[in-house]
């Protein structure tokens, strides 16, 4: 089933933007809002703003780099170009960690919602979701993107409902009240998980029409829309429910809806959360399978993972590979712990992406850049520098337990890189 070695370019600006927004507006906001409010109090809206600005700073680096190298390997490709194959492989492995950990945890969350609504087993629902989404992703990128767009509209309606619920309560609390200023930044580190997903726009650039221009535009629109929505949702949530009540809620936004509109709204938000978790798994796996494909196509992972379906022109082995490995991790059930492990990985990745752009400004200044990050001091780009510093700052807010988990996985990744043998990776032509 090797077929053609190239992926099919079918995604438009609207489709890729809504796909990215759908992934950002995923399970994070529906699950982590309560824990974030417990840490930051009514000042939680600032935690969302700080996390959003940090994501936006790194997004600028993704914009320029994706316009230079519109390949499916994304972060792996960017870092490899700046620091070489081994460092690129290391960062690529961290991204794969993130994809597997996130998709497995969120799929289990889907299984719980599914179980509550239909009485089916949690694990069965999660594995069934992997199978269902894998078949859709193999069938076609356009079909996958359209499903993501449809679910995005459902997710968006849930968040708009929460914002509407908060309007009568607006101004009834002190929005600067916080139990601890340190908790505001701990909250930012946690809810950064809710902003992850914009980078999947880049991972789909090899299947995007006119990717050099379309991908940066999609990133900018997706980040702007979601930062605004999250701040509005945070203000609405603490307006309706005391932040201490939100902290202990397992379904914080559903509880907000219940207070404002009654039990029917609680059930409705539960359904929306079901679709939200589905969409997160879909787009995370969609982007993750593309970075696996890109790394395998370059020779850094087994070549079998770069096979493209001869009829559908999708990376079918990478898709099923991600689904199978993620299925084994569905025993991870604590969304807060899992989110922080995912954040641990992505903070390192974002730091490396930002400094890769900085390095390439000096070592490869003549390369064509359809999008160029504005504001520089000499050759030093300002936004990527701030992006690297803010990623490092949020990384420092992660607690010691997560550090132990994270560095253990990092050590395994480093060992895999050091033990890697075989032929020299294939050159990526046409770039």
């Amino acid at each position: 089933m090797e077929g053609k070695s190239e992926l099919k370019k079918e995604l438009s600006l609207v489709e890729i933007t809504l796909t990215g927004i759908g992934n950002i507006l995923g399970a994070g906001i529906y699950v982590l809002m309560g824990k974030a409010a417990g840490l930051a109090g009514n000042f939680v809206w600032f935690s969302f703003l700080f996390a959003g600005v940090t994501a936006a700073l790194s997004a600028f680096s993704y914009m320029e780099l994706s316009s230079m190298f519109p390949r499916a390997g994304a972060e792996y490709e960017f870092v490899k170009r700046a620091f070489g194959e081994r460092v690129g492989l290391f960062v690529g492995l961290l991204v794969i960690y993130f994809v597997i950990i996130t998709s497995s945890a969120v799929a289990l969350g889907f299984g719980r919602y599914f179980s509550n609504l239909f009485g089916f087993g949690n694990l069965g629902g999660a594995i069934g979701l992997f199978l269902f989404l894998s078949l859709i992703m193999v069938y076609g990128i356009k079909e996958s993107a359209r499903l993501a767009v449809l679910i995005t509209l459902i997710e968006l309606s849930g968040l708009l409902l929460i914002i509407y619920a908060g309007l009568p309560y607006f101004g009834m609390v002190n929005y600067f009240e916080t139990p601890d200023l340190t908790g505001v930044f701990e909250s930012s580190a946690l809810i950064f998980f809710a902003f992850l997903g914009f980078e999947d726009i880049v991972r789909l650039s090899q299947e995007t029409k006119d990717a050099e221009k379309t991908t940066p535009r999609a990133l900018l629109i997706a980040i702007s829309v979601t930062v605004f929505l999250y701040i509005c949702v945070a203000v609405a949530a603490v307006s309706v429910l005391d932040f201490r009540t939100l902290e202990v809620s397992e379904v914080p936004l559903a509880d907000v809806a219940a207070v404002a509109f009654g039990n029917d709204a609680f059930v409705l938000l539960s359904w929306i959360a079901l679709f939200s978790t589905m969409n997160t798994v879909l787009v995370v796996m969609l982007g993750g399978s593309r970075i696996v494909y890109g790394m395998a196509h370059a020779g850094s992972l087994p070549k079998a993972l770069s096979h493209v379906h001869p009829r559908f022109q999708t990376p079918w082995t990478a898709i099923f590979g991600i689904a199978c490995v993620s299925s084994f991790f569905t025993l991870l059930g604590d969304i807060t712990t899992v989110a922080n492990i995912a954040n641990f990985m992505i903070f390192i990745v974002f730091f490396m992406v930002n400094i890769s752009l900085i390095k390439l400004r000096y070592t490869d200044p003549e390369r064509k850049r359809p999008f160029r990050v504005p504001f520089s001091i000499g050759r030093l780009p300002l936004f990527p520098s701030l992006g690297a510093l803010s990623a490092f700052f949020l990384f420092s807010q992660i607690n010691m337990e997560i550090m132990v988990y994270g560095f253990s996985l990092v050590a395994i990744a480093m060992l895999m890189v050091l033990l890697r043998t075989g032929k020299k990776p294939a050159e990526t032509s046409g770039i």
Side-chain angles (χ1 to χ4, degrees):
M1 283 191 177
E2 291 189 31
K4 298 178 182 179
S5 61
E6 292 298 320
L7 302 179
K8 194 173 182 181
K9 290 183 177 291
E10 287 200 311
L11 299 178
S12 66
L13 174 62
V14 172
E15 288 168 331
I16 194 66
T17 301
L18 289 177
T19 298
I21 290 174
N23 197 23
I24 299 171
L25 299 180
I29 184 67
Y30 285 94
V31 179
L32 298 176
M33 181 65 230
K35 301 298 182 184
L39 288 168
N42 294 335
F43 205 28
V44 67
W45 64 268
F46 181 80
S47 298
F48 277 96
L49 177 61
F50 188 85
V53 169
T54 300
L57 289 171
S58 294
F60 276 108
S61 292
Y62 274 87
M63 290 179 206
E64 180 169 327
L65 289 166
S66 67
S67 75
M68 296 165 64
F69 312 114
R71 306 293 295 176
E75 295 94 339
Y76 159 74
E77 187 73 30
F78 304 156
V79 177
K80 183 179 76 171
R81 295 282 180 161
F83 295 104
E85 165 65 22
R86 289 189 181 275
V87 182
L89 175 57
F90 170 72
V91 170
L93 290 173
L94 296 190
V95 175
I96 293 172
Y97 277 154
F98 164 75
V99 168
I100 290 171
I101 293 170
T102 301
S103 59
S104 60
V106 178
L108 189 58
F110 171 90
R112 288 177 175 172
Y113 282 115
F114 194 84
S115 177
N116 288 335
L117 289 169
F118 301 105
F120 199 70
N122 294 351
L123 189 58
I127 295 176
L129 178 65
F130 280 128
L131 178 60
F132 171 68
L133 294 181
S134 295
L135 293 174
I136 291 176
M137 286 187 283
V138 170
Y139 185 74
I141 181 63
K142 200 169 188 68
E143 290 75 14
S144 302
R146 284 175 175 171
L147 177 61
V149 167
L150 174 63
I151 301 177
T152 295
L153 298 176
I154 297 173
E155 289 177 327
L156 181 59
S157 68
L159 297 183
L160 292 176
L161 180 63
I162 295 299
I163 294 170
Y164 179 73
L167 289 177
Y169 299 85
F170 184 74
M172 297 181 67
V173 300
N174 176 10
Y175 297 108
F176 294 92
E177 180 184 355
T178 178
D180 183 7
L181 192 59
T182 302
V184 174
F185 296 106
E186 290 179 10
S187 176
S188 289
L190 172 62
I191 59 181
F192 195 81
F193 182 82
F195 284 98
L196 300 180
F198 72 83
E199 68 280 6
D200 283 310
I201 294 174
V202 177
R203 294 176 195 143
L204 296 174
S205 60
Q206 204 167 338
E207 293 158 279
T208 301
K209 300 173 185 176
D210 195 16
E212 291 85 352
K213 295 179 180 178
T214 303
T215 299
R217 290 174 184 168
L219 277 167
L220 187 61
I221 296 169
I223 287 286
S224 301
V225 169
T226 51
V227 168
F228 176 74
L229 282 174
Y230 279 168
I231 291 174
C232 291
V233 169
V235 169
V238 298
S239 297
V240 175
L241 277 180
D242 185 271
F243 67 85
R244 287 166 284 263
T245 303
L246 285 169
E247 181 181 15
V248 298
S249 173
E250 292 296 322
V251 283
L253 295 190
D255 283 340
V256 170
V259 170
F261 302 118
N263 189 61
D264 288 344
F266 179 91
V267 175
L268 176 62
L269 258 293
S270 297
W271 270 97
I272 292 173
L274 181 74
F275 282 105
S276 176
T277 51
M278 176 192 293
N279 204 38
T280 298
V281 176
L282 170 63
V283 187
V284 167
M285 288 182 64
L286 204 59
S289 63
R290 269 55 183 180
I291 195 169
V292 169
Y293 162 83
M295 292 174 68
H297 189 65
S300 293
L301 290 177
K303 204 68 177 177
L305 293 172
S306 69
H307 291 177
V308 176
H309 196 283
R311 178 183 174 187
F312 303 124
Q313 291 181 255
T314 51
W316 70 277
T317 53
I319 290 169
F320 282 119
I322 288 286
C324 289
V325 176
S326 296
S327 295
F328 286 108
F329 283 82
T330 51
L331 295 177
L332 292 173
D334 184 355
I335 187 66
T336 302
T337 299
V338 172
N340 274 317
I341 295 174
N343 287 341
F344 177 99
M345 300 300 167
I346 216 68
F347 288 147
I348 298 175
V349 171
F350 283 1
F351 178 83
M352 292 301 300
V353 167
N354 282 303
I355 64 172
S356 293
L357 175 57
I358 294 170
K359 185 174 186 294
L360 288 169
R361 283 287 187 93
Y362 288 90
T363 59
D364 196 5
E366 303 303 320
R367 182 175 289 273
K368 181 181 177 183
R369 290 168 165 83
F371 177 88
R372 189 180 182 91
V373 177
F375 307 115
S376 299
I377 302 174
R379 287 189 180 180
L380 180 67
L382 182 59
F383 287 168
S385 301
L386 293 175
L389 290 173
S390 58
F392 179 79
F393 174 75
L394 288 181
F395 180 87
S396 70
Q397 303 302 305
I398 295 175
N399 65 44
M400 188 55 63
E401 178 189 3
I402 302 302
M403 289 284 188
V404 171
Y405 288 133
F407 278 117
S408 297
L409 291 171
V410 164
I412 295 172
M414 292 179 69
L415 184 62
M416 291 172 66
V417 172
L418 291 173
L419 294 178
R420 177 178 170 269
T421 58
K423 63 180 180 180
K424 183 179 178 181
E427 295 294 330
T428 47
S429 61
I431 298 180

